[in-house]
Amino acid sequence: MTDLTMENYRSEVEHAGRPVLIDFYADRCGPCRAFAPTLEALDADYGAECKFCRVDVDAEETLTRKFDILSVPTLVLMQNGEVQQRIRGLRAREDILRILNLG
């Protein structure tokens, strides 16, 4: 998974050439820590079809505000630089695959 910052956001997300799923998380968040292995496995299995990125909301406040993130975990699906969907809270692997049209 790619760690997003304001410095690499444009090159990693807006010019990705494929869908991008961004995980907004916090190290202090238990559900975020529980969800991380699922997202890392999806990245390993489907990284060629969808780019998987993450944003530490405590370290990247500007990106967090840009996406108006109010709770974590929150996933944001991007396509061609545009937000396609927001998913709040924990989801099963199968739900994420369905959202990404991969499963």
Side-chain angles (χ1 to χ4, degrees), residues 1-6 8-9 12-13 20-27 32-33 35-41 43 51-60 63-64 67 69 72-76 78:
M1 288 184 68
T2 303
D3 291 309
L4 289 182
T5 64
M6 279 305 295
N8 69 358
Y9 172 79
E12 296 292 343
V13 176
V20 179
L21 187 69
I22 306 171
D23 172 32
F24 287 87
Y25 76 99
D27 287 332
C32 297
R33 289 192 309 271
F35 198 33
T38 299
L39 293 173
E40 289 166 2
D43 182 33
K51 185 169 192 145
F52 292 83
C53 300
R54 61 185 171 198
V55 174
D56 180 344
V57 298
D58 294 324
E60 293 296 329
L63 271 177
T64 301
F67 284 92
I69 302 299
V72 290
T74 295
L75 300 176
V76 176
M78 304 282 294

Side-chain angles (χ1 to χ4, degrees), residues 1 19-24 31 34-47 49-53 73-78 85-103:
M1 288 184 68
V20 179
L21 187 69
I22 306 171
D23 172 32
F24 287 87
F35 198 33
T38 299
L39 293 173
E40 289 166 2
L42 287 169
D43 182 33
D45 294 343
Y46 297 97
E49 293 112 282
C50 179
K51 185 169 192 145
F52 292 83
C53 300
T74 295
L75 300 176
V76 176
L77 178 61
M78 304 282 294
Q85 191 168 356
R86 290 175 173 266
I87 304 111
R88 291 183 179 89
L90 293 178
R91 298 296 169 109
R93 175 186 172 96
E94 296 75 25
D95 292 339
I96 301 300
L97 289 172
R98 198 169 22 261
I99 289 164
L100 298 174
N101 293 318
L102 296 174

